[in-house]
Amino acid sequence: DIEIILDQLKSLNPLISVKFINADVETDLLGSIGQASNGSILIRTLKEGSVGRNPYAEQRIAVQESNDLEDIERKLIQCILNITTEEKTIYMTVANGERFSQGFQSIPNEQIGKFVSALNFLNYKVHPIGFEQKWPSEIPNDASALAIIGPTVAFSKEARESILNFVTKRNGSLFISIDPVGTENFDWLLEKGNLT
């Protein structure tokens, strides 16, 4: 089954090559692979301009039992995305009662776990930005995007300025979802874009 799945990857993209090694018998072929056992899938790509001991970006998947095959395709695609795309950072505000904050962790229908998992799948690292991170100071320089998910409380003047600076001066990406019963309607942001 694993051979069939990996051969399908090869047929989808000619840049993907597959090599099967019996880790118990062909130990001489394990040189640059390192520690391996049968059932290990090593996904790797040569890093651009890499010099040193390990010139590869790599991730491993273990397949030991038949139920490990259930989500193997998703894991393979995620590994390929992770090693071939640049890791990005997205910050989610948590100081205004947003869905990413602690207040919603125990309410199953209000959590955004699937959204965060999807972002992780696309090689985004998700971090909170709130009082602990000295919010509403400037949004960190490594931010590829800022997500504001369902704030229940309106943003302060300082937070608004920080968000506007991120969007207008740093050309940052912003993703917003509005809580229908929250007090924040983002009129201040829409005004800047001549929108209602």
Side-chain angles (χ1 to χ4, degrees), residues 45-90:
T45 187
L46 194 60
K47 291 185 259 185
E48 279 188 41
S50 63
V51 178
R53 284 187 56 193
N54 188 0
Y56 299 102
E58 57 187 33
Q59 291 198 332
R60 294 175 186 262
I61 299 172
V63 180
Q64 301 298 326
E65 299 175 18
S66 59
N67 63 350
D68 291 335
L69 290 172
E70 291 174 12
D71 60 350
I72 187 98
E73 289 182 60
R74 184 188 60 76
K75 285 181 178 178
L76 284 168
I77 298 303
Q78 182 173 13
C79 287
I80 291 169
L81 280 171
N82 287 348
I83 65 169
T84 59
T85 60
E86 181 184 338
E87 182 178 278
K88 299 174 215 118
T89 303
I90 187 167

Side-chain angles (χ1 to χ4, degrees), residues 2-20 76-77 80:
I2 292 172
E3 284 187 56
I4 291 167
I5 291 167
L6 294 175
D7 280 338
Q8 287 173 344
L9 281 178
K10 279 190 337 190
S11 66
L12 290 173
N13 188 327
L15 296 175
I16 296 175
S17 61
V18 177
K19 183 176 184 180
F20 290 93
L76 284 168
I77 298 303
I80 291 169

Side-chain angles (χ1 to χ4, degrees), residues 83-180:
I83 65 169
T84 59
T85 60
E86 181 184 338
E87 182 178 278
K88 299 174 215 118
T89 303
I90 187 167
Y91 285 88
M92 290 196 182
T93 59
V94 295
N96 292 70
E98 295 90 336
R99 295 302 187 277
F100 194 64
S101 64
Q102 288 294 333
F104 287 95
Q105 296 301 319
S106 61
I107 308 171
N109 292 338
E110 301 292 334
Q111 294 174 359
I112 57 167
K114 288 183 181 178
F115 179 58
V116 172
S117 295
L119 289 169
N120 292 151
F121 181 82
L122 296 170
N123 212 15
Y124 277 94
K125 298 303 170 222
V126 181
H127 298 287
I129 185 166
F131 299 120
E132 288 182 27
Q133 293 78 24
K134 298 182 176 44
W135 173 258
S137 64
E138 190 173 314
I139 294 159
N141 288 331
D142 66 340
S144 298
L146 178 68
I148 304 170
I149 312 296
T152 55
V153 178
F155 284 98
S156 67
K157 182 181 179 210
E158 295 83 9
R160 291 175 181 189
E161 287 175 11
S162 181
I163 293 166
L164 285 170
N165 283 339
F166 178 70
V167 173
T168 58
K169 293 185 179 161
R170 291 176 45 195
N171 201 23
S173 296
L174 182 62
F175 179 85
I176 297 173
S177 72
I178 298 175
D179 188 316

